[in-house]
Amino acid sequence: MGRRGLSRLVIEDYLGQRVRLQGGEKAILVEVVPPGVDPQERLSELAALANTAGAVVLDVLVQRREKPDPATYIGKGKVLETLAKAREKNADTLIFGVELTPAQARNLEEFTGLKIIDRSQLILDIFALHAGTKEAALAVELAQLQYLLPRLRGWGHALSDPGGIVGTMGPGETRLEQGRRAIRRRIQALERELREAKRAREVRRARRRRLGPPEIVLVGYTNSGKSTLFNALTRGDALVANQLFATLDTKVRRAFLPTGQIALVTDTVGFIRDLPPQLIPAFHATLEEVREAALIVIVVDAASPAAFEHLRVVREVLFSEIFRPEDPRPPVVYALNKLDLLETSVAWSRAEQLLAEAQPGMLISAKTGENLDEFRKLLAQNLRQKTSAATVSGYH
Ligand SMILES: Nc1nc2c(ncn2[C@@H]2O[C@H](COP(=O)(O)OP(=O)(O)OP(=O)(O)O)[C@@H](O)[C@H]2O)c(=O)[nH]1
Ligand SMILES: [Mg+2]
């Protein structure tokens, strides 16, 4: 086997089997929350992520902990309890709601004999599953490899065996080093390809910006209803699914506003708290659209008990990461979505508090169409004129 062949196998083994979900895993969720934090929202988000990735969730365990155990993240007693639970339920995988260090993942795997997946890997796997365009697939592969690289030493002995295959390695070069080098080479190739894809996209966008109508960009937490609203506004056919990160590619379509104005509406990738940093480049297309918008619509699932937390995450990403403080910002309108799901008085009062905080905004249902005509008027009122949109785009 030639060097290339071996390298490819090494990468595929590590990407393909030990650290990734294939779908169909029988999993136990392990969530760790600081004392005083209600684990319920985190657990339901983790379960939704696990289901989206195709795992079957058999049970959940929660540990309250301020600081992680350096060796195993959860405490020793909890590791034993988790293992007993896994045996009882016949589980083969533990999915952690936190990011584990490479050493923690290795220790947990060696101790339990189970496949160990952390929250970052889970999100990476969902992105890999949902990447629909070549560019999204390249960006996700790059993120996977960057995540994998420091973890490569972590699994068993196979990769650190200096025996190797005669004739394929230089003196003293271990399989581990060879695997790492192969991954670095692939990372460089991916970065090159992505730079080219980005240039091509910029040319397309510049043309659209010059010639086209003003752009309304929909952003929001994953599963808030962005694609549903996109379809309602544009009569489009974006994928709507009760899954996290159903949309991984931006989509653009025309919408007609009540004033007779035409706007381009863009559907984007959803946000989530603690996004693995390796995935941020996969958001570049989204981020660029947002920077040049004539209007940003922040979509919030107003029926979710975590609505405030979601709004906080979205604002934080938008206003501390995407825009620098000195950047001019497009106007923002809030779409407080899933109005039709507000059933209890608790839910209503939360939605009203949300509305007070998210102005200009409106409670709508993208699904039933309730309040959408009014919402279109709100969009038209807040849409910035083309000339000032062009000024914003001159900033980078
Ligand atoms: N009841 C109700 N459900 C809604 C509404 N809007 C969206 N949904 C549902 O919420 C789920 C997520 O909707 P999407 O439009 O895919 O959400 P998204 O924000 O595009 O999600 P990602 O692309 O995964 O980030 C789907 O099951 C939708 O049918 C609404 O107004 N009311
Ligand atoms: Mg979507």
Side-chain angles (χ1 to χ4, degrees), residues 138-271:
L138 293 174
V140 173
E141 186 185 348
L142 178 62
Q144 292 266 22
L145 291 177
Q146 285 167 338
Y147 183 79
L148 178 66
L149 196 55
R151 285 167 175 78
L152 204 52
R153 66 160 71 234
W155 286 273
H157 306 289
L159 278 188
S160 48
D161 166 19
I165 293 167
V166 180
T168 60
M169 285 176 284
E173 184 179 39
T174 63
R175 281 169 149 194
L176 175 62
E177 284 158 9
Q178 202 192 20
R180 283 207 188 111
R181 268 198 312 122
I183 290 179
R184 286 203 194 93
R185 269 201 305 276
R186 179 73 186 139
I187 285 178
Q188 282 169 2
L190 286 167
E191 285 171 342
R192 249 193 326 273
E193 280 193 66
L194 280 165
R195 271 197 300 274
E196 272 156 34
K198 182 173 178 225
R199 257 198 299 277
R201 197 175 58 232
E202 267 162 9
V203 170
R204 280 197 306 274
R205 215 189 32 232
R207 188 157 168 266
R208 204 170 71 207
R209 213 164 55 221
R210 238 185 5 259
L211 306 174
E215 291 175 42
I216 300 176
V217 180
L218 308 179
V219 300
Y221 211 78
T222 181
N223 216 41
S224 57
K226 298 175 296 297
S227 298
T228 308
L229 181 59
F230 173 84
N231 290 344
L233 292 173
T234 66
R235 299 184 189 89
D237 56 356
L239 171 69
V240 168
N242 193 13
Q243 290 189 336
L244 305 193
F245 304 111
T247 306
L248 271 197
D249 306 299
T250 57
K251 240 188 173 170
V252 186
R253 247 189 113 115
R254 280 200 302 182
F256 297 90
L257 299 178
T259 47
Q261 250 178 309
I262 294 175
L264 289 180
V265 181
T266 303
D267 185 19
T268 65
V269 187
F271 296 170

Side-chain angles (χ1 to χ4, degrees), residues 307-327:
F308 278 98
E309 164 73 358
H310 293 174
L311 179 59
R312 189 190 63 73
V313 169
V314 172
R315 281 179 168 157
E316 190 175 300
V317 176
L318 266 183
F319 300 130
S320 41
E321 288 175 33
I322 301 183
F323 292 98
R324 286 156 302 185
E326 68 274 18
D327 289 346

Side-chain angles (χ1 to χ4, degrees), residues 97-116:
V98 291
E99 181 165 322
L100 302 171
T101 64
Q104 285 162 345
R106 182 185 57 225
N107 291 338
L108 285 162
E109 185 190 296
E110 284 178 0
F111 187 78
T112 63
L114 301 169
K115 185 189 266 195
I116 306 293

